[in-house]
Amino acid sequence: MSLPHGLLGLLRYKERTGYELAKLFEMSLNDFWHAQSSQIYRELNRLEDNGFVTSQHVAQQGKPNKRVYTITDAGQEEFMKWTTTEADLYKNRQSPLLLYTFFAASAPEVALQRLRRFRDMLPKLIDEQMPIYQDVIEQMKATTPNAEKEAVFWQMTHLYSKMEAEFIIKWTDEFIKILENLEEENLCI
């Protein structure tokens, strides 16, 4: 996925301000595609320059004016082209955890401590994040046309995240055991 396509996808459901898009992105897509607010605003400008979205300034009393973005027909076409074009779905996987692990041999004792802390916080993080994501799905269902059909696909991203988190716990447990064994054998720690 690219950030522009994620934004176009969210705008297909409903017109939104940049702030609303950033919040919705954070609550829904951020679980598997990270973007900062500044990136989102920059990309909205590019999308508008390319004719994929339009924006309208809306005056508000007692509040700053807002800019509301709407997907155009060209934006709909671009989004559909992206969803129907064959692509390598697993190609650009980025994982700070795996990058760190790859180089952790340079400081294995620090890696072991860091992994233990990481492992200790994972269940709490999962317990906190999974219900939030489910709530977001329910909120989106309430405001999205064809929500029942869409929700099946949203639910699958939620299931993927849950299963991935469970896998990461198992993987981390295994990695900690391996490092503890190496430490006991004085091989690398």
Side-chain angles (χ1 to χ4, degrees), residues 28-105:
S28 60
L29 303 181
N30 201 43
D31 193 37
F32 46 87
W33 193 271
H34 179 71
Q36 296 177 345
S37 293
S38 60
Q39 292 172 290
I40 289 172
Y41 283 104
R42 218 175 13 255
E43 201 55 55
L44 285 169
N45 288 331
R46 281 192 205 115
L47 288 168
E48 190 164 27
D49 289 345
N50 290 328
F52 295 140
V53 301
T54 59
S55 69
Q56 177 181 346
H57 291 278
V58 177
Q60 302 185 104
Q61 283 189 320
K63 297 179 187 178
N65 294 341
K66 63 182 180 179
R67 191 170 170 186
V68 179
Y69 294 89
T70 306
I71 191 169
T72 64
D73 289 343
Q76 293 276 9
E77 286 179 33
E78 174 60 26
F79 181 79
M80 291 307 296
K81 178 181 166 189
W82 174 74
T83 60
T84 58
T85 301
E86 190 66 33
D88 187 347
L89 297 177
Y90 207 65
K91 177 181 171 187
N92 293 321
R93 211 172 52 104
Q94 294 182 358
S95 171
L97 175 62
L98 292 180
L99 183 63
Y100 175 77
T101 299
F102 192 84
F103 295 107

Side-chain angles (χ1 to χ4, degrees), residues 1 3 10 16 26 34 55 63 66 71 75 77 84 88 103-104 111 117 123-124 126 157 168 184:
M1 176 175 106
L3 178 56
L10 292 175
R16 299 179 194 278
E26 181 182 329
H34 179 71
S55 69
K63 297 179 187 178
K66 63 182 180 179
I71 191 169
E77 286 179 33
T84 58
D88 187 347
F103 295 107
R117 284 192 308 274
K124 182 179 182 221
I126 293 166
T157 62
I168 290 172
E184 287 174 16

